Amino acid sequence: MALNSNDLKYFRFAFKAMGTPCEIQLFAESHSEAKRVSDAAMADVRRLEARYSRYRNDSLLSAINRVAAEGGQVAVDDETAGLLNYAATCYEQSDGLFDITSGILRRAWRFEQGKLPDDAQVRGLLEQVGWHKLRWEPPVLEFPVAGMELDFGGIVKEYAVDRAAALCRDAGVRHGVINLGGDIKLIGSRADGSPWRVGISHPRQKGSMIKTLALREGAVASSGDYERCIVVDGIRYGHVLNPKSGWPVRHLAAVSVVGDFCVVAGSASTIAMLKEENGPAWLDAMGLPHLWIDVEGNVGGSLAESAAYSKSRSIRN
């Protein structure tokens, strides 16, 4: 693929995966070349969905969770081990708030019913929540407590974004964007050297933006209380659940983070939501550019006044 930007044309491919609208934008010499690269990236996204979806009985994750339900152990492959290692790092960095065993709480929180769950049910489910209750000695994962389950929902989509971008870059793409449901990774600037413009949606005003960022590199991911929620007695209860209490966080409405990798930006935005009033300070300490809006409508963060992207640290092992 030629590096001369004058030879490149813009292409966009829309598709659906992981339950959300997705798209790949890239500059290439021809439609056939762009389609070949985008098809390979889409295939990998769908491969990851097939492996780690909790909605598919034939997925690897469902097989792991069948072992977890009975109590026992299972050996995992290198890719899954990498995701588990990252989940362990996030658990430690978040003081136990980012916990991939907490997905089981959705059995109590059925937002489509429009009512709060029974507190006793939430407390009962908490007995099966806690990464510290597992034994993880790669490649063997053991579930001493029967009835637990894993949910990679807070990691896999963002991991898929990073992999898709890497596949495109390895195929020669130097200018492009991977966007899986708002989780974004940039592959260089636009072909003419100008930045890509990434809009940060307002969590309370559908169709409006809090900020538009001009970026030539990096990744952007967001977390918020707007995807699935209920309002009871004037109080909004979102889907971001504290794994220690079993109840939704109620301080920040949304957090967007810019990082070198989408998986880091995504987990960091979720951790900030879970840390509630301490979330912005944690992001500052991590050196991650970010933008937040709280439930009162206040906006802040290092990106609130500037759209510039600076190199950021990743969550370290």
Side-chain angles (χ1 to χ4, degrees), residues 3-308:
L3 297 180
N4 186 342
S5 62
N6 294 327
D7 297 331
L8 303 180
K9 301 179 182 66
Y10 171 82
F11 299 95
R12 175 181 176 273
F13 301 91
F15 63 108
K16 187 169 183 180
M18 299 187 175
T20 189
C22 306
E23 66 175 16
I24 295 174
Q25 302 176 52
L26 52 84
F27 286 87
E29 292 178 322
S30 66
H31 181 270
S32 60
E33 177 70 4
K35 188 174 187 305
R36 180 185 67 80
V37 174
S38 64
D39 282 351
M42 290 180 205
D44 196 62
V45 171
R46 293 193 168 109
R47 176 188 70 84
L48 291 170
E49 181 177 21
R51 277 175 66 81
Y52 299 112
S53 172
R54 62 180 173 84
Y55 298 104
R56 295 180 54 147
N57 289 330
D58 62 345
S59 72
L60 173 61
L61 179 62
S62 291
I64 292 172
N65 283 336
R66 283 192 286 272
V67 174
E70 299 295 327
Q73 62 181 35
V74 59
V76 301
D77 62 280
D78 288 346
E79 183 171 53
T80 305
L83 292 174
L84 289 169
N85 285 336
Y86 188 74
T89 297
C90 291
Y91 180 80
E92 294 164 4
Q93 291 280 346
S94 67
D95 298 319
L97 291 173
F98 189 103
D99 191 331
I100 65 169
T101 72
S102 65
I104 198 171
L105 291 167
R106 70 178 174 274
R107 296 182 187 178
W109 287 94
R110 299 183 179 275
F111 293 97
E112 70 278 5
Q113 295 181 354
K115 62 181 182 180
L116 298 180
D118 180 70
D119 191 49
Q121 184 186 13
V122 173
R123 290 197 306 271
L125 289 170
L126 287 176
E127 294 179 7
Q128 280 79 49
V129 173
W131 173 264
H132 63 283
K133 297 176 183 177
L134 307 178
R135 293 196 186 115
W136 170 230
E137 296 183 8
V140 177
L141 179 63
E142 183 176 357
F143 298 90
V145 178
M148 297 182 70
E149 67 175 62
L150 302 184
D151 187 340
F152 284 120
I155 296 176
V156 164
K157 182 154 67 76
E158 295 84 354
Y159 170 69
V161 171
D162 289 328
R163 272 195 55 86
L167 287 170
C168 289
R169 189 178 287 277
D170 289 347
V173 172
R174 293 294 174 264
H175 311 280
V177 176
I178 307 296
N179 182 350
L180 304 187
D183 291 326
I184 294 168
K185 172 75 171 167
L186 308 178
I187 308 167
S189 64
R190 297 178 64 87
D192 62 3
S194 63
W196 298 93
R197 306 195 77 78
V198 180
I200 305 298
S201 298
H202 196 293
R204 298 290 186 269
Q205 300 172 16
K206 190 172 182 178
S208 68
M209 301 290 170
I210 306 174
K211 188 84 176 175
T212 299
L213 307 178
L215 305 174
R216 291 184 174 86
E217 62 176 329
V220 184
S222 303
S223 183
D225 67 1
Y226 47 86
E227 292 181 13
R228 298 187 308 279
C229 68
I230 55 174
V231 178
V232 178
D233 295 331
I235 299 174
R236 179 186 294 261
Y237 297 87
H239 75 285
V240 181
L241 306 176
N242 184 313
K244 298 180 180 181
S245 69
W247 285 74
V249 297
R250 286 171 50 190
H251 181 75
L252 296 173
V255 180
S256 296
V257 174
V258 177
D260 297 328
F261 298 98
C262 193
V263 71
V264 171
S267 54
S269 64
T270 300
I271 291 171
M273 287 285 296
L274 289 163
K275 284 184 172 288
E276 304 207 52
E277 65 271 13
N278 297 318
W282 180 81
L283 289 169
D284 284 335
M286 292 298 297
L288 291 165
H290 62 280
L291 181 72
W292 56 262
I293 179 169
D294 66 19
V295 295
E296 303 296 330
N298 302 305
V299 178
S302 54
L303 294 173
E305 300 301 327
S306 171

